[in-house]
Amino acid sequence: MAAISAQLASFKSFSSLLNDKKCSRFWCQIKSFENQHSNWSVEFLSGKESVHLIRNSSPSISMAASVAGSAVKPAKKVCLFYCSETEVLAKRIAADSDAIELRSINWRTFEDGFPNLFIPNAHGIRGQNVAFLASFSSPAVIFEQLSVIYALPKLFVSSFTLVLPFFPTGTSERMEDEGDVATAFTLARILSHIPTSRGGPTSLVTFDIHALQERFYFGDTILPCFESGIPLLKNRLQKLPDSDKISIAFPDDGAWKRFHKQLQHFPTIVCNKVRIGDQRIVRIKEGDATGRHVVIVDDLVQSGGTLIECQKVLAANGATKISAYVTHGIFPKSSWQRFEHDNGGIACTFTIAF
């Protein structure tokens, strides 16, 4: 109403009409009005004659109001919690963004070894967007992190996001013999029962899940978002001085199915892997490595034995340089040390995304 009064005040130029002795009566009627930035019209009636005036809003005023409204819009803040294994990564993430506020958890244990956990200043995250950066690196740490993951959404937070870079049970997704237990399905069911926050279901972000069918293991009470580290690799390869001589090698058909569409502008080499006991025999199924810088791409590496065998067969077939890129490097029992020396006279470097 204040805006309407201010606009009507501009009609003082009609005072001569109002003071005209011939005008025995008048009345004012607002014919249309939507908001203070819209066109509106006023009709003045004097006797049998009428005077019409249309008042248009100023575009500059409307634009200024719009800009002012966007300028005061607060930036979205995220309270990021982390476990001990992801502390370094969480601090790097927070250092790169002013929208990230790091929040810690007291990871304590009782005398019997069971978790004794505490979330400091729990009232301080009410109404906030909350995320947890998890690491399920071993069964021993999963329970304590799940306890926190189940607790955070119930603290009246605006939204909750679980970032689990590595889905650890991904290699146990199939039942080939009666009695096999698909632990990937078990973990997916556990995560699917995370309580909802005020904003709705939990968002789960994971990278390069081992088998695509695992995305169907999750229930409707969680929103899984499947990301990939391959775009990081592609950006890196395009900046290399020998980018025009790069070929991508896949150690097996599974890796080719998962990643070849994202790397299709590079020449590809597909290898075939046969396991005989502990021995891995690798052959080139298709593609030519002659004179090329070959980059072996896979999602998950355990001991790295397959990478070594791929390196040998690619070198034997004329590759001038061999690198490897995997999203998740496990390397139990310090098996990564085998990549510190030259294998067969061919440089073999190893790049890990996470």
Side-chain angles (χ1 to χ4, degrees), residues 12-314:
K12 291 182 179 179
S13 59
F14 284 88
S15 59
S16 59
L17 174 62
L18 302 180
N19 294 325
D20 191 347
K21 296 180 179 179
K22 296 181 180 180
C23 181
S24 59
R25 67 184 181 86
F26 74 91
W27 59 282
C28 175
Q29 181 182 13
I30 297 178
K31 304 289 290 187
S32 65
F33 180 79
E34 293 184 4
N35 56 53
Q36 60 180 352
H37 303 306
S38 301
N39 294 339
W40 53 278
S41 63
V42 176
E43 182 180 21
F44 287 87
L45 298 159
S46 175
K48 296 181 179 181
E49 297 182 359
S50 62
V51 178
H52 299 274
L53 178 65
I54 296 178
R55 177 73 174 179
N56 293 321
S57 64
S58 170
S60 60
I61 295 176
S62 299
M63 184 174 293
S66 176
V67 173
S70 62
V72 298
K73 185 177 181 181
K76 182 178 180 180
K77 292 288 185 178
V78 177
C79 297
L80 178 62
F81 291 86
Y82 54 88
C83 63
S84 58
E85 293 185 7
T86 59
E87 180 177 359
V88 175
L89 178 58
K91 290 181 177 179
R92 289 176 57 187
I93 294 173
D96 290 337
S97 175
D98 294 333
I100 303 294
E101 177 188 351
L102 283 184
R103 300 293 298 267
S104 61
I105 294 172
N106 294 340
W107 302 95
R108 305 169 303 189
T109 58
F110 292 107
E111 292 183 357
D112 60 0
F114 274 83
N116 178 16
L117 310 171
F118 182 73
I119 303 173
N121 190 21
H123 289 281
I125 64 173
R126 287 190 174 186
Q128 301 294 316
N129 298 292
V130 175
F132 183 79
L133 183 57
S135 174
F136 291 177
S137 59
S138 70
V141 300
I142 291 179
F143 177 70
E144 63 179 10
Q145 291 182 62
L146 283 175
S147 299
V148 172
I149 291 168
Y150 271 55
L152 287 173
K154 299 171 70 174
L155 295 176
F156 294 94
V157 301
S158 179
S159 67
F160 181 63
T161 300
L162 171 61
V163 182
L164 182 62
F166 176 45
F167 194 69
T169 58
T171 54
S172 300
E173 82 283 358
R174 291 187 295 269
M175 295 181 60
E176 298 178 349
D177 296 316
E178 188 68 29
D180 283 344
V181 177
T183 54
F185 180 58
T186 303
L187 182 57
R189 283 195 295 180
I190 293 174
L191 296 176
S192 296
H193 286 83
I194 297 174
T196 58
S197 65
R198 291 174 58 189
T202 294
S203 298
L204 168 66
V205 182
T206 189
F207 289 80
D208 290 316
I209 199 164
H210 186 65
L212 295 180
Q213 65 264 25
E214 291 178 27
R215 67 181 59 196
F216 302 108
Y217 292 170
F218 296 92
D220 295 335
T221 54
I222 194 170
L223 302 176
C225 178
F226 301 99
E227 297 288 356
S228 175
I230 297 301
L232 297 175
L233 169 65
K234 187 161 61 175
N235 291 338
R236 175 62 176 163
L237 294 182
Q238 291 172 343
K239 295 177 182 179
L240 294 180
D242 61 346
S243 60
D244 59 329
K245 296 182 179 180
I246 290 177
S247 292
I248 303 297
F250 301 105
D252 51 40
D253 290 332
W256 177 85
K257 290 178 181 178
R258 283 189 294 276
F259 301 130
H260 80 280
K261 290 183 179 179
Q262 300 180 66
L263 299 166
Q264 58 186 351
H265 59 289
F266 290 105
T268 59
I269 300 170
V270 182
C271 298
N272 185 25
K273 178 176 59 180
V274 179
R275 296 181 184 235
I276 302 177
D278 294 335
Q279 185 180 8
R280 297 173 178 83
I281 300 176
V282 177
R283 302 182 180 90
I284 293 180
K285 181 179 178 181
E286 59 181 81
D288 185 9
T290 304
R292 308 293 293 181
H293 173 189
V294 180
V295 181
I296 307 170
V297 175
D298 205 354
D299 58 348
L300 173 66
V301 166
Q302 289 283 349
S303 64
T306 299
L307 290 181
I308 297 297
E309 295 303 316
C310 283
Q311 180 265 333
K312 291 179 180 179
V313 71
L314 290 168

